[in-house]
Amino acid sequence: MKHILYFLFFILYSFCATAQNAYRPTAENLASRKDFADRRFGIFLHWGLYSMFAQGEWYMTNLNINAREYAKAMNAFYPHAFDARQWVSAIKDAGAGYICFTTRHHEGFSMWDTKQSDYNIMNTPYGRDVVGQLADACHEQDMRLHLYYSHIDWTRPDYPSGRTGLGTGRDTTLRNWPAYYDFMNRQLTELLTNYGRIDCIWFDGWWDHDQDSVAFDWQLPEQYALIHRLQPACLVGNNHHQVPFEGEDIQIFERDVPGENKAGLSGQEVQDVLPLETCQTMNGMWGYKIVDQNYKPAAMLVRLLVRTAAKGANLLLNIGPQPDGSLPATALERLKAMGAWMRQYGHTIRGTEAGGITIGDDIVSTRRGNTIYLHCIGDTVPAKITLPDGRTIVPARAGQPNECDEIVEIRE
């Protein structure tokens, strides 16, 4: 009996200890979640040393390039056309409410004045802090700033490599997780200390160890706690393609609106407790690739934004800046077209939630209070719309070609 009592006490103690350590978001964090969801539209910017090669952000590992040879490109990186204020102005004019910028991708190159590694933007001919300039421009123009940070590093020998970056010439005998983990946390501390308000840390790379025979411990709870301690309002997201982990504030879906998984990356269950975000490319790649000019038409991008909002999720739409620091002309054209649509119809996207009405593939909805916006996203405006409650609506431009600007407003 005594042993049973001791066992029950141990179980109760463990449960209480777990409950005490459970993540409890602050009031500031909860306010940030609402602000994030209300903005509905953000722009992803994949920019790093990889833009110099114009082959996309996975160029190093795809071609098994020696990391030391790859790093020589740093000596020629001079993005003379980079203008953070112009970037932010163009993005804001498109109707987007936040930017997510790649501070350090899997190639390991840091785009800010980090003191933790010499492999950074300050040691290029350009020699200026890109993150700092972007942070200043965002703060000046009321643009929320999210910072992408890779858990992977294809260059550092202390990173315990998983299934990518295996051909980059690192000495695998030098793997040292405690040292690498400390390095990451010191970099994150810099980003959350030196650049004012940061609205989200957006992690990527957990999947590098998803095929290990023994589960790899990324020590995420401690890392998430560090972020929330440094900036309680800062959100944490992780592109791990799983249901959210303890300590995360948003749920991310890659290349699909929540619940669809057509790309085969985001088949995880949709959680209703956290804000949702879909990240997608304007063309085919995340980082700049010179031959990738297959940009999606503006109408398709608007429809993607609408379909995402109709799921109660944000759209994080990617642009890969060019090596000179300018945004591709076609990307700017797409931003301009989306901005024109958002100026007229943005009220049906921003600050809304899922409308709850979906009719086939061509009609989805968003909602604000008791007002529901029916978005006709097919190529032709339907002759009539029959609602689930039996009501029939005839759109103003019934039967006419549709450029994704036919929206029917109804009252519940």
Side-chain angles (χ1 to χ4, degrees):
M1 183 66 178
K2 180 188 290 187
H3 294 298
I4 294 175
L5 290 174
Y6 279 142
F7 177 74
L8 292 174
F9 174 78
F10 175 76
I11 294 296
L12 180 62
Y13 175 82
S14 299
F15 174 80
C16 292
T18 301
Q20 289 174 356
N21 293 329
Y23 171 51
R24 295 184 178 87
T26 62
E28 303 100 305
N29 187 280
L30 294 174
S32 289
R33 294 183 187 186
K34 184 179 187 308
D35 179 80
F36 167 76
D38 285 346
R39 291 181 179 250
R40 277 291 175 256
F41 181 30
I43 294 296
F44 216 165
L45 294 164
H46 270 71
W47 194 39
L49 192 60
Y50 44 83
S51 68
M52 289 282 290
F53 303 97
Q55 298 296 323
E57 74 289 352
W58 276 60
Y59 180 58
M60 183 195 296
T61 190
N62 285 346
L63 272 71
N64 290 322
I65 298 172
N66 183 280
R68 292 182 296 278
E69 295 299 314
Y70 183 98
K72 292 177 181 178
M74 183 174 70
N75 297 323
F77 194 26
Y78 189 77
H80 59 90
F82 172 60
D83 188 322
R85 288 179 174 82
Q86 286 185 1
W87 278 20
V88 176
S89 294
I91 290 168
K92 188 171 184 177
D93 190 57
Y98 64 100
I99 287 170
C100 186
F101 179 74
T102 52
T103 64
R104 188 183 77 112
H105 207 268
H106 314 325
E107 66 171 4
F109 184 77
S110 298
M111 295 291 282
W112 78 96
D113 185 11
T114 180
K115 301 301 187 289
Q116 313 310 321
S117 168
D118 293 333
Y119 195 37
N120 69 72
I121 191 67
M122 304 305 290
N123 293 315
T124 67
Y126 182 68
R128 297 176 61 192
D129 189 326
V130 167
V131 172
Q133 294 176 69
L134 190 58
D136 289 344
C138 284
H139 296 149
E140 289 170 6
Q141 299 189 47
D142 188 33
M143 179 69 66
R144 298 290 186 256
L145 179 59
H146 298 190
L147 298 181
Y148 170 109
Y149 188 88
S150 173
H151 274 128
I152 300 173
D153 195 310
W154 293 328
T155 64
R156 290 181 63 94
D158 56 356
Y159 170 64
S161 51
R163 58 180 171 88
T164 67
L166 300 179
T168 61
R170 288 171 295 166
D171 185 347
T172 58
T173 66
L174 300 178
R175 292 175 177 175
N176 186 336
W177 169 250
Y180 181 72
Y181 185 68
D182 180 63
F183 158 75
M184 287 196 298
N185 288 339
R186 284 185 279 113
Q187 283 208 317
L188 289 167
T189 298
E190 289 178 339
L191 292 171
L192 290 164
T193 302
N194 299 335
Y195 299 101
R197 172 175 173 164
I198 302 300
D199 288 88
C200 181
I201 297 294
W202 204 100
F203 286 113
D204 193 18
W206 178 93
W207 35 261
D208 197 39
H209 283 277
D210 62 5
Q211 296 178 8
D212 291 6
S213 58
V214 178
F216 185 80
D217 184 7
W218 288 99
Q219 295 181 254
L220 294 178
E222 297 89 344
Q223 196 166 67
Y224 293 172
L226 169 68
I227 294 166
H228 290 133
R229 184 166 65 252
L230 291 171
Q231 293 206 29
C234 184
L235 306 177
V236 171
N238 198 324
N239 186 37
H240 44 48
H241 310 146
Q242 309 291 310
V243 295
F245 299 160
E246 180 80 12
E248 295 172 6
D249 303 297
I250 64 175
Q251 184 176 9
I252 298 168
F253 298 82
E254 184 173 354
R255 292 191 181 273
D256 275 307
V257 300
E260 291 191 359
N261 193 32
K262 294 178 180 177
L265 292 171
S266 293
Q268 68 269 30
E269 181 183 349
V270 180
Q271 305 289 294
D272 295 329
V273 294
L274 297 179
L276 310 176
E277 180 184 70
T278 286
C279 58
Q280 179 58 286
T281 55
M282 263 195 191
N283 45 1
M285 297 294 294
W286 300 100
Y288 177 67
K289 186 173 183 178
I290 194 168
V291 299
D292 182 14
Q293 299 302 315
N294 188 28
Y295 282 82
K296 300 170 182 67
M300 182 183 293
L301 295 175
V302 169
R303 289 171 183 175
L304 176 60
L305 173 61
V306 170
R307 290 198 306 113
T308 305
K311 293 284 189 176
N314 290 18
L315 174 63
L316 181 60
L317 185 61
N318 182 74
I319 298 173
Q322 298 171 149
D324 67 355
S326 62
L327 301 180
T330 307
L332 288 172
E333 290 174 5
R334 297 298 186 270
L335 288 181
K336 187 174 181 179
M338 295 185 78
W341 190 90
M342 285 291 284
R343 278 187 288 278
Q344 187 168 2
Y345 302 110
H347 65 284
T348 70
I349 299 296
R350 298 190 199 92
T352 65
E353 57 187 322
I357 298 176
T358 300
I359 303 173
D361 295 328
D362 294 341
I363 298 176
V364 296
S365 62
T366 55
R367 171 199 301 266
R368 179 183 286 105
N370 65 347
T371 300
I372 297 177
Y373 304 100
L374 298 179
H375 296 261
C376 302
I377 59 175
D379 293 333
T380 303
V381 179
K384 66 178 180 178
I385 301 172
T386 302
L387 301 178
D389 62 7
R391 284 183 291 169
T392 299
I393 296 173
V394 178
R397 297 191 303 113
Q400 297 182 29
N402 183 32
E403 293 297 327
C404 202
D405 55 5
E406 184 68 24
I407 298 174
V408 179
E409 182 177 325
I410 62 174
R411 297 282 178 174
E412 218 177 15

